[in-house]
Amino acid sequence: MARNKESLVLLIEVGPSMHGVLPEVEKVCCLLAEKKLIYGKYDEVGVVAFGTTDTKNDLTVEVGGYENVTVLRDIKVVDGALVDVLHQLPRGSARGDFLDAVVVGMDMMIKKYKETNKGKKRLCLITNAVTPTRLPYEGTKEDQVKTVAAQMMAHGMKMDCVVVRAQKDWDVDKKIVEENDFLLGLLSNKSSSKVYVGNATSLLGALRTRNITPVTTYRGDFELSYIMKIKVWVYKKTCEEKFPTLKKYSDKAPPTDKFASHEIKVDYEYRSIEDPKRVVPPEQRIKGYRYGPQVVPISSAEWEAVKFKPEKGLKLLGFTDASNIMRHYYMKDVNLFIAEPGNTKAILAISALARAMKEMNKVAIVRCVWRQGQTNVVIGVLTPNVSAKDSVPDSFYFNVLPFAEDVREFQFPSFSNLPSSMQPNEQQQDAADKLVQMLDLAPADGEEVLPPDLTPNPALELRSKDPSANIPQIDETLKRITEPDPELLHQNTAVIEEFCRSFELKENPKLKKSSRRIREKPTGSSEDGEGVAAAGQAMDAAEYPSQVKVEQDSNTVQEFEAMMSRRDSPDWVRKAFQSMKDKIYNLVEDSVEGDTYQKILECLVALRKGCICKQEPEQFNDFLRHLNKFCHERHLDSLSDFLASNNVMLISKSEEPESNVPETEARVLLLKEP
Amino acid sequence: MDIDPEDVFGDEDDPENEFYQEDQKCVSHFEAAINSISVSLKTQIINRSYDEVAICFFNTKEKKNLQDLIGVYVFNVPEREDLDRPTARLIKEFDRLQESFSKQIGSKYGILPGTRDNSLYNALWAAQALLRKGSTKTADKRILLFTNEDDPFGDMKGVTKLDLMRTTIQRAKDAQDLGISIELLPLSKPDDDFNVSTFYADLLGLEGNDLAEFKALAAERFEDIKDQLRKRMFRKRKVRRINFIIPGGKSIELNTYAVVRPTNPGNITWLDSAERSFFCSDTGALLQDPPKYFQTYKSENIMFTANEVSDIKRVSTGHLRLLGFKPLSCLKDYHNLRPSTFVFPSDEEVVGSTCIFIALHRSMLRLKRFAVAFYGNSTHPQLVALIAQDEIMSPSGQIEPPGMHMIYLPYSDDIRPIEEFHTDTNLAPRASEDQIKSASSLLKRIDLKNFSVCQFANPALQKHYAVLQALALDEDEIPDVKDETLPDEEGLARPGVVKALEELKICVYGENFKQEDDDTMGSQKTSETSNKRKALKELTVSELKHYLNVHNQPVGGKKEALISRILTHMGK
């Protein structure tokens, strides 16, 4: 845990020019803090606001200057108070100087950690960079920035600059903006990353929650052939971030024990099947693999002797045209191949290959065995990643490719062979073209919307909001990820409308409703019968209001019998019972002066027969008692009388041994109770 | 039933005495047939182990079949129905059959003049009876007929011959009418080609062009049986039906398919029972109930029941919602997390889905754009890229089906800024024009022209299957599996390639660079210690500490430190 611990100082500009976006910034920073509470609860965070009316920082006391910079929170382990601080950022009235803020932030870090925590210290600057920085006492601004950057390097600090440029037409001085951008560029080129964000969603994505100390997957030679080798390191480039696993809770510890961990330990014990008394140690367990219908046991010792043991190493198989590797064959998360840091010759070699590959549009095929003792090999493709930034060396992305066994050769019909009714006509194709063209998320003149690098995972955000709230609400910022942007839709209303007009969709009339309904039912079988059945009916009724009624009346009994006779799943019987009971209740409720009594009688007789047949007399008995009570409450005693006169009674012990009702009582109940 | 017996096949064999008398060097037809059946059984048990198979010989001395027909012998082993999934025992005994065949079953030509016996007729009848099991709707039923006799009724004359031929062809027709297909695998004599048209063309119902193509295909089929890759086959089956919601309220129906998925060596069945028990780590009490879950948040424990946990996970709707389109260049190589999923439209419930899909598909191909959509999958709600893939055909069939591939995009949380992890104040070195040029010439030299993504078999998996087969069949030696993934050493040693490599090396590394030498020199010196270090690494920390204890050394520090301490102690 402590390995990935990081310390972060948030530097937030709160001057007048930022007031417009501050609500967003507050929200995003709160989310960041909340995420930290879950993902990095040992991380330490400090908060500095600049452009504030007041001044409160160590440097101003010690050396003077550094006005309008307020330390809102010293560097401390994350807690609830941090969220509160970020929730209500002060609105400042002064012009913010980001360079001052950076220096204050650095000073806090240096004082707190001295030389330790190298590489785990991060400054995060959130600004719009439209206000000018002060002229330093000596030298130029550029010199000052260079000194700051050098200091940062020396102390192993990193910095993320998030530049919020929401409103383009803000009343700003172009020259100042350019100067600031230049300074920030200088700073970032030397030491850190800089991102410009346009909207709240990408602001959320730009703020990295967790700073993971990367671990190499492989260090060693990349072998072009025995003649030439290049020293490389391999890292993971993408890796799915998951919600932390919940721990199992034990309530055994006494409530007075404040330090109880409440955790649960799991213990496994393995026993041999032939001799259940003998406990097998975990390393002596025997694996079995299927060979046809049989299972072939292979002990780990045997396996060890014969298994596939490739030598560790990366070997080049050759180069090929990029078009030979289709994008959808990438199998896994992505790795990054970089030359061994500090090894100039290796960096040059990688750079030469990457640039040549980029120029010729080629990719390299490599065979990888990351570790000694690994039992498989990986075949993958290297694609060049020519760096745009001067300080970053060129590298390769590595994607795993499938083996022959991994590709399933499913055949699908050619589109051109499909019937003409499924082929779009010219006008439809035109509408589709327009939609594809206009519903543009990466306009040539603007910024790409939802770039993966700046799009946060809404599920992680949601769940970290407040774990105690059961069904989290998606807020507007995250809706931009799960739903189309209303503004974009609005701009293209005409195109979308034309598209919708061009194509017609309708339900398949050939598909029978009943089959559809039946197909849906087994899926609901894991749920509690009643609720789902009711919901399903409500839906059906909404879809086919008129037909359903008729159908219900005529086939209830047949449908019930058909369901009872199905053998593919025991759930059918339960379903049948449930739906029958629901229908009887409906009939009772719908009855007007006894017009449905005959129908009810038929249904009850069928249900009774079914219950006896399936040896579930209590199902029926309970139901009948319940129905009786129900009738009584609604003053429908005439129904009870009607049923009694038609000899509908409880299932007695003599009829079905499972029943608890003696024969003598079977008839009595209906007549005498309530 | 989860997996249906999709392909049932009856093999028949027609051994003839003459082959035993033939030259031993030449593999007899009977042996060839037996071998190819044996190989195909071994492949089948891994590829499609739920398929059922029966083996039936005809023209035999002995008879063994349900109908008690003369000259037909159904080969089987105990604990197995005649038509059933192949078992290790079946394969094992079948392999041994060659030696015991003449004793156990024996061969005798069954169609003799003067009698009305017709072993071919009987064999077809027996095979049809074997294939009675299962419906043709769920299973694909086949009879594979191995024979070397192109004219089974050659010895007969006149009306009897015509009559026998007619009844036999009628029998075959009956079988075909029942949905059983008959395939012929002819084994031709060296000096005499197998003439299909004498009799079998009628039996199989071949006409015109089919007849001409038959021979070439038959030879190919024989090769196919022998060279099949051991590869588990999957039936085409949709993973899920999803609704694709297009802005404006149109919702079309798509089916998803898993076309590319890593194959694992199959499920492991542990041969001992496992018992799991929960203990409270505070009190040590044994817990019975399925426990609740909790998470620490703001130093409080927040509790969840198992139901609540699954509720939280189920926030999304399961629909695929179109957000917009981007040019293909926006999809970077590192935007990948998992194998892609193939989507294909369906008109099953919503008529018109396919039409919209095709229109979008064509537009996206032409405009070189991909769609960005939000896939509200219940376990992994995710942004996905939909890439249109045009159909690619080759003479042997479809290589890439038409449709779209759904690529799961990472979120910013999933992407790591590794490139910048090692940056320092200096500018990063960049290759010069010359260096790039010599790299280009190397690229041209080592060019895999017709590389296709799945040309390699997974050596680990093939080895696994080979070991499994050897153990299951009690084979003495484990067959060697060729590792196709190793680089082509010969190709790399070609003078042109070597020259290009040398040039690049000098160009990048400089004239006097001696990486190899440095390495080998250094490693020789250090090899002894490094070997020791490696050996020590294998030991556990407690074992290392034990050694240090015995030698009165301090036992503190990490494993690495312990090893160094031991090495220095040993060096003394």
Side-chain angles (χ1 to χ4, degrees):
Chain A
M1 197 44 102
R3 180 189 171 82
N4 283 327
K5 184 178 106 168
E6 79 159 352
S7 26
L8 170 73
V9 175
L10 285 168
L11 311 167
I12 306 166
E13 178 168 359
V14 295
S17 61
M18 282 288 282
H19 286 188
V21 289
L22 270 186
E24 289 295 343
V25 172
E26 276 174 353
K27 205 160 74 186
V28 165
C29 290
C30 281
L31 256 176
L32 172 81
E34 281 161 353
K35 268 165 94 178
K36 274 211 175 283
L37 278 170
I38 287 176
Y39 293 103
K41 48 186 170 189
Y42 302 107
D43 286 2
E44 296 175 311
V45 179
V47 183
V48 175
F50 59 105
T52 49
T53 322
D54 308 325
T55 303
K56 181 191 148 222
N57 62 65
D58 287 355
L59 283 178
T60 190
V61 180
E62 286 162 17
V63 296
Y66 299 101
E67 281 118 23
N68 308 111
V69 179
T70 308
V71 177
L72 296 178
R73 176 192 155 97
D74 288 320
I75 302 174
K76 279 193 294 200
V77 173
V78 285
D79 52 18
L82 171 67
V83 184
D84 299 337
V85 168
L86 291 169
H87 195 65
Q88 199 66 63
L89 289 171
R91 302 290 190 270
S93 57
R95 293 202 302 191
D97 180 337
F98 63 83
L99 270 181
D100 278 359
V102 169
V103 175
V104 170
M106 280 171 64
D107 175 63
M108 285 164 74
M109 287 275 197
I110 293 168
K111 279 188 180 136
K112 171 113 185 165
Y113 300 108
K114 310 276 182 330
E115 289 298 310
T116 59
N117 271 17
K118 246 192 183 141
K120 291 174 185 167
K121 290 177 278 192
R122 191 155 64 99
L123 297 172
C124 182
L125 176 68
I126 301 173
T127 176
N128 55 2
V130 293
T131 44
T133 48
R134 278 180 205 94
L135 264 177
Y137 297 115
E138 49 197 61
T140 61
K141 286 183 185 178
E142 207 180 317
D143 291 338
Q144 198 193 3
V145 167
K146 278 182 184 159
T147 335
V148 169
Q151 276 293 311
M152 252 187 227
M153 267 332 267
H155 285 91
M157 267 181 233
K158 313 222 149 183
M159 190 168 102
D160 292 334
C161 313
V162 180
V163 183
V164 191
R165 290 275 155 83
Q167 285 99 340
K168 285 227 155 60
D169 49 349
W170 197 261
D171 181 22
V172 287
D173 190 338
K174 272 263 166 61
K175 241 170 86 188
I176 300 172
V177 172
E178 267 165 33
E179 186 200 44
N180 282 339
D181 278 357
F182 169 73
L183 291 178
L184 283 173
L186 200 63
L187 202 57
S188 78
N189 219 343
K190 291 286 177 200
S191 63
S192 59
S193 61
K194 179 178 70 165
V195 280
Y196 288 101
V197 296
N199 59 36
T201 317
S202 44
L203 180 61
L204 204 53
L207 281 182
R208 239 175 295 133
T209 328
R210 217 148 73 102
N211 210 19
I212 292 161
T213 317
V215 183
T216 47
T217 327
Y218 175 88
R219 289 182 193 199
D221 287 333
F222 169 37
E223 201 179 306
L224 298 184
S225 94
Y226 65 96
I227 297 168
M228 185 171 171
K229 292 171 181 156
I230 306 172
K231 292 259 179 238
V232 293
W233 287 12
V234 180
Y235 284 103
K236 271 206 180 308
K237 173 67 186 165
T238 61
C239 183
E240 200 164 335
E241 191 78 8
K242 295 210 173 81
F243 195 68
T245 42
L246 298 172
K247 290 180 187 137
K248 295 192 176 72
Y249 182 80
S250 154
D251 50 5
K252 293 283 183 219
T256 47
D257 183 359
K258 279 198 181 122
F259 299 101
S261 66
H262 292 291
E263 283 172 22
I264 287 181
K265 276 188 190 149
V266 188
D267 197 44
Y268 292 92
E269 203 171 68
Y270 309 107
R271 289 169 189 284
S272 124
I273 285 188
E274 295 108 53
D275 176 15
K277 279 186 196 124
R278 196 166 67 84
V279 176
V280 185
E283 65 276 8
Q284 279 176 25
R285 298 174 71 201
I286 292 179
K287 281 180 190 174
Y289 286 99
R290 287 203 156 274
Y291 189 71
Q294 287 133 322
V295 173
V296 179
I298 304 179
S299 72
S300 44
E302 263 179 304
W303 196 237
E304 197 61 39
V306 293
K307 72 178 176 198
F308 181 66
K309 281 170 271 189
E311 278 291 307
K312 173 184 173 180
L314 306 183
K315 287 185 193 321
L316 173 79
L317 298 186
F319 301 92
T320 189
D321 288 331
S323 57
N324 277 347
I325 313 290
M326 275 174 238
R327 186 62 175 73
H328 59 262
Y329 283 120
Y330 291 3
M331 292 287 278
K332 279 174 80 174
D333 33 22
V334 186
N335 286 333
L336 185 84
F337 273 48
I338 55 165
E340 188 178 52
N343 183 339
T344 316
K345 297 213 157 110
I347 295 174
L348 278 179
I350 293 284
S351 172
L353 281 177
R355 279 164 195 258
M357 276 157 70
K358 178 105 185 166
E359 254 170 42
M360 298 168 66
N361 207 11
K362 295 262 183 194
V363 294
I365 308 294
V366 285
R367 170 193 196 263
C368 310
V369 181
W370 309 119
R371 288 168 285 112
Q372 192 63 48
Q374 186 178 320
T375 53
N376 61 345
V377 295
V378 180
I379 294 288
V381 56
L382 288 182
T383 43
N385 170 32
V386 173
S387 171
K389 216 156 142 189
D390 286 341
S391 61
V392 179
D394 295 333
S395 52
F396 290 115
Y397 293 122
F398 173 84
N399 272 291
V400 178
L401 293 178
F403 286 112
E405 292 93 334
D406 305 339
V407 178
R408 305 171 187 179
E409 284 144 357
F410 298 159
Q411 300 287 310
F412 290 88
S414 298
F415 284 158
S416 47
N417 291 346
L418 290 175
S420 62
S421 65
M422 292 185 181
Q423 308 282 355
N425 58 31
E426 230 166 86
Q427 183 254 333
Q428 287 172 325
Q429 190 62 55
D430 197 47
D433 278 358
K434 273 192 195 133
L435 185 78
V436 173
Q437 189 75 268
M438 298 309 292
L439 212 59
D440 195 359
L441 293 181
D445 54 340
E447 264 182 61
E448 183 183 347
V449 185
L450 292 178
D453 303 62
L454 293 179
T455 310
N457 183 346
L460 292 184
E461 303 286 338
L462 276 182
R463 285 209 254 154
S464 46
K465 261 220 124 142
D466 187 358
S468 54
N470 261 348
I471 298 161
Q473 289 295 310
I474 294 193
D475 87 332
E476 278 304 310
T477 324
L478 295 174
K479 255 200 181 139
R480 288 293 78 75
I481 302 167
T482 61
E483 280 169 33
D485 185 359
E487 202 175 309
L488 183 71
L489 294 189
H490 184 73
Q491 285 166 11
N492 296 304
T493 322
V495 175
I496 293 166
E497 269 174 12
E498 198 203 325
F499 182 81
C500 289
R501 238 181 294 120
S502 308
F503 293 95
E504 198 188 344
L505 289 178
K506 56 175 186 277
E507 299 248 343
N508 191 348
K510 281 183 214 144
L511 200 68
K512 284 210 175 107
K513 291 185 294 284
S514 55
S515 73
R516 186 181 316 191
R517 219 176 312 148
I518 283 168
R519 195 142 33 85
E520 275 159 14
K521 267 174 184 160
T523 54
S525 60
S526 60
E527 316 280 336
D528 276 345
E530 234 157 311
V532 169
Q537 264 178 2
M539 257 170 66
D540 285 354
E543 264 181 79
Y544 333 98
S546 55
Q547 300 152 320
V548 167
K549 265 272 155 58
V550 180
E551 207 181 57
Q552 255 181 4
D553 289 351
S554 53
N555 320 325
T556 318
V557 175
Q558 284 102 305
E559 220 171 75
F560 172 74
E561 279 165 359
M563 265 167 126
M564 292 290 287
S565 60
R566 289 191 65 139
R567 284 155 183 273
D568 46 355
S569 158
D571 287 332
W572 284 111
V573 173
R574 229 191 59 225
K575 278 259 122 80
F577 283 151
Q578 192 57 49
S579 65
M580 192 54 150
K581 287 177 191 170
D582 290 346
K583 270 170 196 158
I584 295 175
Y585 273 126
N586 286 344
L587 284 169
V588 172
E589 279 186 335
D590 289 352
S591 78
V592 181
E593 292 176 2
D595 60 344
T596 57
Y597 284 4
Q598 191 57 39
K599 188 84 204 154
I600 295 171
L601 179 68
E602 280 168 28
C603 291
L604 270 173
V605 170
L607 182 65
R608 192 170 192 276
K609 218 168 93 192
C611 285
I612 294 175
C613 173
K614 297 284 171 192
Q615 303 183 344
E616 300 237 28
E618 286 310 305
Q619 281 262 12
F620 179 78
N621 289 351
D622 286 347
F623 175 70
L624 196 59
R625 287 191 193 109
H626 209 262
L627 185 70
N628 201 29
K629 216 163 132 200
F630 184 80
C631 291
H632 188 71
E633 279 165 14
R634 311 239 161 159
H635 309 291
L636 285 168
D637 289 325
S638 58
L639 176 63
S640 304
D641 295 343
F642 176 78
L643 293 178
S645 63
N646 280 292
N647 278 335
V648 176
M649 50 185 169
L650 298 178
I651 302 171
S652 69
K653 222 178 182 89
S654 60
E655 269 180 286
E656 171 52 54
E658 296 271 307
S659 166
N660 303 326
V661 182
E663 198 173 357
T664 44
E665 276 177 35
R667 179 177 282 270
V668 176
L669 179 116
L670 269 190
L671 289 176
K672 295 225 170 134
E673 229 193 6
Chain B
M1 208 189 294
D2 195 28
I3 300 173
D4 24 20
E6 61 183 65
D7 173 37
V8 183
F9 83 126
D11 287 303
E12 308 186 29
D13 219 291
D14 175 18
E16 280 200 47
N17 283 332
E18 55 183 291
F19 294 119
Y20 296 118
Q21 287 136 25
E22 259 185 337
D23 190 0
Q24 286 297 310
K25 268 184 266 173
C26 167
V27 180
S28 77
H29 285 153
F30 177 61
E31 266 172 54
I34 291 263
N35 282 343
S36 89
I37 293 171
S38 160
V39 170
S40 102
L41 279 177
K42 283 175 191 167
T43 331
Q44 193 199 340
I45 199 166
I46 283 163
N47 292 11
R48 294 179 300 256
S49 84
Y50 286 92
D51 284 6
E52 297 181 310
V53 66
I55 302 164
C56 150
F57 297 101
F58 66 99
N59 285 345
T60 53
K61 234 182 266 162
E62 305 294 319
K63 62 175 181 184
K64 181 172 157 249
N65 58 69
L66 275 178
Q67 296 99 318
D68 211 26
L69 299 165
I70 291 170
V72 176
Y73 188 96
V74 176
F75 176 77
N76 201 6
V77 293
E79 295 166 37
R80 190 177 171 278
E81 284 174 49
D82 283 344
L83 178 76
D84 206 344
R85 299 168 58 188
T87 61
R89 186 154 177 195
L90 177 80
I91 298 176
K92 217 153 58 182
E93 298 206 357
F94 189 78
D95 272 348
R96 260 188 255 131
L97 188 67
Q98 279 191 37
E99 295 119 54
S100 60
F101 185 81
S102 51
K103 232 190 296 157
Q104 231 186 59
I105 304 170
S107 67
K108 186 182 122 201
Y109 200 59
I111 306 170
L112 294 169
T115 64
R116 303 276 303 176
D117 283 342
N118 181 348
S119 53
L120 180 59
Y121 177 89
N122 288 348
L124 286 173
W125 191 7
Q128 190 188 323
L130 284 170
L131 289 168
R132 219 174 23 205
K133 184 162 127 186
S135 116
T136 40
K137 275 182 195 145
T138 53
D140 171 21
K141 299 180 177 184
R142 295 191 296 158
I143 296 175
L144 297 186
L145 194 80
F146 290 82
T147 183
N148 68 321
E149 180 57 77
D150 51 5
D151 189 11
F153 305 105
D155 297 342
M156 314 291 275
K157 275 187 200 80
V159 191
T160 336
K161 176 174 175 176
L162 285 179
D163 193 34
L164 283 179
M165 275 172 76
R166 194 182 49 78
T167 48
T168 312
I169 288 170
Q170 188 54 45
R171 178 100 307 235
K173 283 251 152 47
D174 289 350
Q176 280 159 339
D177 287 346
L178 286 172
I180 300 170
S181 65
I182 301 179
E183 288 170 42
L184 177 68
L185 289 151
L187 304 136
S188 46
K189 298 175 198 171
D191 50 346
D192 183 11
D193 262 356
F194 191 96
N195 190 352
V196 188
S197 32
T198 346
F199 170 71
Y200 279 104
D202 290 336
L203 187 123
L204 301 173
L206 293 176
E207 273 167 21
N209 273 344
D210 292 346
L211 195 59
E213 279 171 23
F214 175 80
K215 235 177 114 176
L217 282 175
E220 227 172 76
R221 288 225 37 178
F222 232 97
E223 287 303 304
D224 277 358
I225 288 184
K226 278 191 184 149
D227 300 338
Q228 250 187 51
L229 181 69
R230 272 182 289 239
K231 166 180 175 181
R232 244 179 347 136
M233 301 300 248
F234 292 87
R235 263 168 73 87
K236 179 173 143 188
R237 167 176 301 167
K238 64 177 178 236
V239 180
R240 183 165 286 127
R241 195 180 63 221
I242 51 176
N243 290 330
F244 182 42
I245 301 170
I246 298 164
K250 292 272 170 192
S251 165
I252 66 173
E253 188 189 347
L254 300 178
N255 287 334
T256 61
Y257 299 87
V259 172
V260 188
R261 287 292 178 276
T263 312
N264 54 4
N267 288 339
I268 297 171
T269 321
W270 289 101
L271 296 179
D272 22 46
S273 62
E275 232 171 75
R276 195 167 62 157
S277 40
F278 299 106
F279 292 97
C280 170
S281 63
D282 299 319
T283 60
L286 187 66
L287 297 167
Q288 291 299 337
D289 306 326
K292 282 182 160 190
Y293 296 87
F294 78 103
Q295 165 147 48
T296 319
Y297 183 75
K298 294 190 190 176
S299 63
E300 275 171 55
N301 288 337
I302 293 158
M303 314 277 287
F304 300 91
T305 62
N307 279 342
E308 280 166 350
V309 172
S310 62
D311 275 354
I312 294 177
K313 286 186 179 162
R314 212 186 302 138
V315 265
S316 46
T317 51
H319 297 313
L320 185 65
R321 204 179 281 275
L322 177 67
L323 303 180
F325 299 89
K326 290 183 187 178
L328 281 173
S329 59
C330 283
L331 186 68
K332 301 281 187 275
D333 282 318
Y334 62 90
H335 292 163
N336 205 67
L337 284 175
R338 283 181 283 142
S340 62
T341 299
F342 183 72
V343 295
F344 197 80
S346 153
D347 271 12
E348 196 187 332
E349 288 199 357
V350 185
V351 177
S353 298
T354 312
C355 185
I356 292 190
F357 186 87
I358 295 178
L360 289 175
H361 182 260
R362 289 197 181 136
S363 306
M364 282 157 70
L365 275 176
R366 193 166 58 236
L367 298 166
K368 295 201 169 48
R369 289 177 151 253
F370 68 92
V372 178
F374 183 75
Y375 182 28
N377 180 337
S378 55
T379 47
H380 286 277
Q382 211 156 17
L383 277 177
V384 295
L386 290 170
I387 301 187
Q389 173 64 52
D390 207 4
E391 185 176 28
I392 300 179
M393 294 291 285
S394 79
S396 57
Q398 198 174 40
I399 294 178
E400 289 291 333
M404 293 193 198
H405 289 278
M406 191 153 89
I407 285 160
Y408 300 91
L409 296 175
Y411 290 114
S412 62
D413 315 65
D414 309 327
I415 299 175
R416 301 176 175 182
I418 298 293
E419 289 94 333
E420 291 166 9
F421 186 62
H422 288 290
T423 48
D424 49 30
T425 27
N426 304 324
L427 291 184
R430 291 276 186 263
S432 67
E433 283 302 316
D434 274 357
Q435 288 164 336
I436 296 174
K437 226 164 114 193
S438 64
S440 307
S441 68
L442 176 71
L443 257 57
K444 275 181 209 133
R445 284 284 173 191
I446 321 179
D447 192 17
L448 306 172
K449 281 250 159 47
N450 300 314
F451 182 80
S452 106
V453 159
C454 41
Q455 72 181 41
F456 299 116
N458 184 347
L461 200 59
Q462 292 301 322
K463 180 87 181 187
H464 173 89
Y465 290 148
V467 169
L468 195 60
Q469 177 184 322
L471 287 172
L473 304 180
D474 290 327
E475 283 170 9
D476 293 333
E477 54 188 86
I478 286 159
D480 227 10
V481 173
K482 188 171 167 268
D483 185 355
E484 300 165 347
T485 63
L486 284 169
D488 171 20
E489 298 288 348
E490 250 173 69
L492 288 175
R494 277 198 311 258
V497 177
V498 171
K499 193 167 154 252
L501 272 166
E502 293 284 1
E503 263 169 26
L504 176 67
K505 192 173 163 188
I506 291 168
C507 192
V508 175
Y509 287 171
E511 293 275 0
N512 302 319
F513 185 75
K514 283 181 191 151
Q515 188 187 0
E516 323 287 314
D517 298 354
D518 288 351
D519 276 359
T520 45
M521 286 292 284
S523 64
Q524 263 166 14
K525 262 185 237 161
T526 54
S527 66
E528 210 180 322
T529 24
S530 72
N531 277 345
K532 274 186 198 159
R533 188 175 282 270
K534 221 182 243 170
L536 286 173
K537 257 189 185 163
E538 303 271 298
L539 300 175
T540 65
V541 170
S542 58
E543 283 167 323
L544 295 174
K545 282 188 177 167
H546 185 73
Y547 175 92
L548 290 167
N549 260 329
V550 169
H551 293 90
N552 287 328
Q553 296 282 319
V555 290
K558 290 188 174 175
K559 188 172 182 182
E560 202 63 15
L562 298 184
I563 291 172
S564 308
R565 205 172 297 142
I566 292 176
L567 283 173
T568 30
H569 181 257
M570 279 159 67
K572 267 184 220 164

